Amino acid sequence: MTNPPNRSFKSTYLLIIMLISSLLVTACNGTPSGSAAAENSNSSQAEGKIIRFSSANDIGPLNPHMYAPNQMFAQNMVYESLVKYVDGKVVPHLAEKWEISEDGKEYTFFLRQDVKFSDGSDFNADIVVKNINAVLANKKRHSWLELVNQIKDATKDGEYRVTISLHNPYYPMLQELALIRPLRFLGEAGFPASGNTSEEIKAPIGTGPWVLTDYKINEYSEFSVNENYWGEKPKVDQIRIAVIPDGESRVLAFENEEIDVIYGDGSISLDSFKYLKETGKYETAISAPLFTKSIAINSSKGPLQDINVRKAIEHAFNKQSVIDNVFYGTDKLADTLFPADFPYSNVNLTPYTYDVSKAEQLLNDAGWVLPAKKEFREKNGAVLELELSFDSANNVHKSIAEVLQGDLRKIGIHVKLIGEENQLFGQRQTNGNFDMIFSDTFGIPYDPHAMVSSMRIPSHADYQAQVGLPMKKELDQKIEEALLSTDEETRQELYTYILTTLHEQAVYLPISYGTNLTVYHQNIKGLQFGQMNSEIPFEKMDKE
């Protein structure tokens, strides 16, 4: 159990660290830290308004058509989509309007005519078609997203008009066009000579409000206002992003006024959030629930092939204790993979209640017994041991992992925690080299359609977790039918089967309906939460 921090101790600790840092700066630079801070402040004033942010990982090459190591929040700063997701609705963005054919297989988009890329080149039908074709050329990599599978072609019907033709009517078409990747638009000068963006791009040239102006890999990146931006210009001149992998170091940098804003799930521990909030010195906010924090349980690995073992884990985890003592009430307890108010997700499912006796009985039924004077259960001479993998940079996941480890120890399961940097953690999700692994849902507006679509492809932990299920083939077929269904009643029946099967097979351990948290200095104004989990609206922020 994670206990609330001792604030007096923590304050003393931070003061000691800050003093050491100050002495190191003096020793290295021959300049007192106070003078250096004054110089930096004067420099910032001369350069204009600057908001200083931090990320646990480098922003990556900012390829709009690819995934890790590209960071989604940074891709979203530079690149834009034809349509945008706002308050539960899809609204025009780079396309002013669209028309849909009677058979639902053709979408004609009428593009804005006042849009330029950051290098001054025109945004038009030619570049839209080129970007879509670049994504289609790498279709296998994007096959987790059914929209890419369903696009037949994209054609230019005029300088500012594009028609996207589909193989079948596809109800989430517009929602998936609003996603941060892969269907966003790179300027002509950003394309490599081959036109193949699956390997690299020349430069991150987009139509968004920000342009990358300075960058040192694994250290920092600097984004300045795109002077060619067609929309409302950002209120500050620059966003500077330092790479700070460790959450406690991020808190120290924030208190030392080296960064202005902390934002996002897992960026700092909930203990640190509580501590900063209770100082009364800073502004804090919590978003509405955006996604589900969950753990995928691999149905094809060792003891977890037995449904009784998976169900025992569900019953042994005291989620309410996590909500109260790790999240301090910032998240709401999750009994199902998606909240009931998400589309097609209001399914009558019986929660796995916290019941240690039931968990122990399930393990006994599975043949895992607890020998006298031993801590962990055994079967045929083997110890009941599982690994739980998490992203070492996610401070919240680490805290949850420690609680689950303790809860499963109580019923005789030995859990080994595996914390790895983001890229290695992502590889485990993809290749299935895990027993249990954190696997949050994508959130609005991906869920449930894009999330269940990805379950059919080994690109996320979901496929690997489910591959051991006896009904996996049928499950994948039902997912395809749901995505392509044109009848609402039929679609709901299919989603009911999908979500009920996943719940009853206990391949997910839902934890909470997750929120984004932010802490910021009082001179930062206009901070808002993004519509999507990975969207940070820097353009709305101001600095006094």
Side-chain angles (χ1 to χ4, degrees):
M1 188 69 63
T2 304
N3 295 316
N6 184 311
R7 289 176 54 193
S8 298
F9 171 80
K10 185 161 187 173
S11 298
T12 303
Y13 168 77
L14 290 174
L15 285 170
I16 292 170
I17 295 299
M18 289 168 65
L19 178 59
I20 292 171
S21 298
S22 176
L23 292 172
L24 287 173
V25 170
T26 302
C28 294
N29 299 333
T31 305
S33 60
S35 300
E39 287 179 12
N40 289 337
S41 175
N42 291 335
S43 173
S44 296
Q45 290 174 5
E47 294 171 348
K49 293 182 179 180
I50 299 169
I51 287 181
R52 298 160 301 173
F53 188 68
S54 68
S55 173
N57 302 291
D58 182 77
I59 61 171
L62 294 185
N63 185 333
H65 304 152
M66 293 302 291
Y67 307 96
N70 299 280
Q71 296 299 303
M72 293 178 74
F73 81 90
Q75 289 170 302
N76 188 62
M77 295 171 72
V78 174
Y79 304 106
E80 295 185 297
S81 49
L82 292 176
V83 297
K84 199 169 185 178
Y85 184 84
V86 178
D87 296 332
K89 297 180 181 179
V90 176
V91 300
H93 198 57
L94 290 180
E96 292 183 312
K97 62 179 181 177
W98 56 87
E99 295 175 353
I100 307 173
S101 64
E102 286 189 16
D103 64 2
K105 294 183 181 181
E106 289 189 349
Y107 287 70
T108 299
F109 294 91
F110 298 82
L111 309 179
R112 295 185 62 92
Q113 299 184 26
D114 58 346
V115 178
K116 291 185 178 296
F117 285 94
S118 57
D119 66 346
S121 61
D122 291 334
F123 173 80
N124 53 32
D126 287 320
I127 198 66
V128 169
V129 170
K130 183 168 185 173
N131 274 266
I132 293 175
N133 285 339
V135 172
L136 294 180
N138 193 25
K139 183 178 289 188
K140 184 176 180 181
R141 179 65 183 87
H142 305 301
S143 58
W144 68 273
L145 188 67
E146 185 61 26
L147 174 57
V148 177
N149 299 324
Q150 289 301 322
I151 294 177
K152 183 189 300 182
D153 57 41
T155 56
K156 173 183 175 180
D157 295 332
E159 187 174 1
Y160 295 101
R161 191 168 70 185
V162 172
T163 295
I164 300 178
S165 300
L166 306 178
H167 294 291
N168 298 284
Y170 184 61
Y171 86 89
M173 163 77 168
L174 294 173
Q175 288 97 318
E176 294 187 4
L177 282 178
L179 303 182
I180 291 175
R181 56 194 188 193
L183 287 162
R184 293 205 176 184
F185 303 99
L186 176 69
E188 179 66 40
F191 276 82
S194 66
N196 181 3
T197 57
S198 65
E199 297 296 330
E200 63 178 0
I201 60 172
K202 282 186 177 179
I205 300 170
T207 62
W210 303 100
V211 58
L212 183 67
T213 49
D214 195 11
Y215 172 61
K216 188 170 184 180
I217 190 169
N218 291 324
E219 290 191 22
Y220 68 86
S221 54
E222 178 182 284
F223 293 84
S224 299
V225 173
N226 175 8
E227 296 301 331
N228 292 311
Y229 187 52
W230 60 274
E232 182 180 351
K233 293 285 198 303
K235 294 177 171 55
V236 298
D237 301 285
Q238 289 182 346
I239 305 293
R240 289 183 179 170
I241 302 169
V243 177
I244 305 178
D246 176 63
E248 288 304 308
S249 298
R250 184 172 293 110
V251 171
L252 178 60
F254 178 79
E255 291 198 303
N256 205 25
E257 298 187 358
E258 295 167 8
I259 59 175
D260 299 307
V261 177
I262 295 172
Y263 182 106
D265 168 65
S267 57
I268 58 175
S269 70
L270 275 302
D271 283 338
S272 294
F273 177 78
K274 182 173 182 284
Y275 159 73
L276 291 172
K277 181 178 181 180
E278 290 179 350
T279 65
K281 298 178 182 178
Y282 313 111
E283 300 293 335
T284 62
I286 304 170
S287 76
L290 294 169
F291 62 100
T292 306
K293 292 186 177 81
S294 69
I295 292 171
I297 302 175
N298 196 332
S299 61
S300 67
K301 293 292 286 289
L304 297 174
Q305 295 176 73
D306 190 327
I307 190 172
N308 283 337
V309 176
R310 301 198 300 269
K311 286 185 174 182
I313 292 170
E314 300 272 358
H315 285 294
F317 187 32
N318 188 350
K319 287 189 270 189
Q320 189 60 56
S321 178
V322 171
I323 298 298
D324 295 339
N325 300 296
V326 175
F327 291 113
Y328 303 119
T330 58
D331 278 14
K332 181 181 177 183
L333 187 147
D335 284 321
T336 55
L337 188 59
F338 303 118
D341 59 354
F342 274 30
Y344 309 106
S345 302
N346 189 11
V347 178
N348 187 23
L349 300 174
T350 302
Y352 290 96
T353 56
Y354 175 55
D355 189 333
V356 173
S357 296
K358 191 166 188 177
E360 290 174 333
Q361 184 60 52
L362 285 163
L363 292 178
N364 289 335
D365 293 345
W368 291 98
V369 298
L370 188 62
K373 299 183 180 180
K374 289 193 176 182
E375 186 176 8
F376 300 113
R377 292 174 179 267
E378 296 180 5
K379 182 179 180 179
N380 300 326
V383 175
L384 183 48
E385 181 175 279
L386 302 172
E387 292 182 346
L388 172 58
S389 300
F390 64 95
D391 181 349
S392 58
N394 190 309
N395 295 273
V396 174
H397 283 183
K398 182 179 180 181
S399 297
I400 297 169
E402 291 170 348
V403 175
L404 181 58
Q405 181 186 49
D407 283 350
L408 295 190
R409 181 182 289 115
K410 294 174 185 176
I411 62 168
I413 300 178
H414 181 213
V415 177
K416 181 181 179 181
L417 302 184
I418 308 292
E420 295 175 310
E421 60 90 15
N422 185 260
Q423 195 160 355
L424 292 175
F425 171 76
Q427 288 173 3
R428 279 189 186 271
Q429 288 187 318
T430 302
N431 62 31
N433 184 23
F434 64 86
D435 294 328
M436 301 182 291
I437 195 166
F438 280 85
S439 180
D440 297 348
T441 69
F442 301 161
I444 297 171
Y446 295 80
D447 295 342
H449 53 272
M451 180 75 183
V452 300
S453 174
S454 75
M455 293 175 180
R456 302 169 298 161
I457 306 295
S459 58
H460 300 92
D462 310 278
Y463 175 87
Q464 303 292 0
Q466 297 172 24
V467 74
L469 298 180
M471 71 292 293
K472 175 59 175 167
K473 185 175 181 180
E474 181 182 3
L475 188 61
D476 289 352
Q477 180 61 40
K478 297 293 187 183
I479 290 171
E480 182 175 352
E481 290 176 17
L483 294 173
L484 300 183
S485 173
T486 57
D487 178 74
E488 281 287 329
E489 186 175 338
T490 300
R491 190 182 302 151
Q492 180 61 71
E493 290 175 358
L494 290 163
Y495 272 112
T496 298
Y497 168 82
I498 295 162
L499 298 181
T500 300
T501 300
L502 293 174
H503 183 79
E504 292 179 348
Q505 289 297 314
V507 287
Y508 292 98
L509 177 58
I511 302 165
S512 68
Y513 298 127
T515 57
N516 274 331
L517 308 176
T518 185
V519 186
Y520 54 99
H521 290 284
Q522 293 181 352
N523 63 334
I524 301 299
K525 306 299 179 183
L527 192 145
Q528 301 176 15
F529 288 107
Q531 298 282 319
M532 292 182 268
N533 185 31
S534 299
E535 177 186 14
I536 307 176
F538 288 113
E539 65 277 6
K540 302 292 186 183
M541 298 182 195
D542 201 355
K543 187 174 185 180
E544 292 182 346

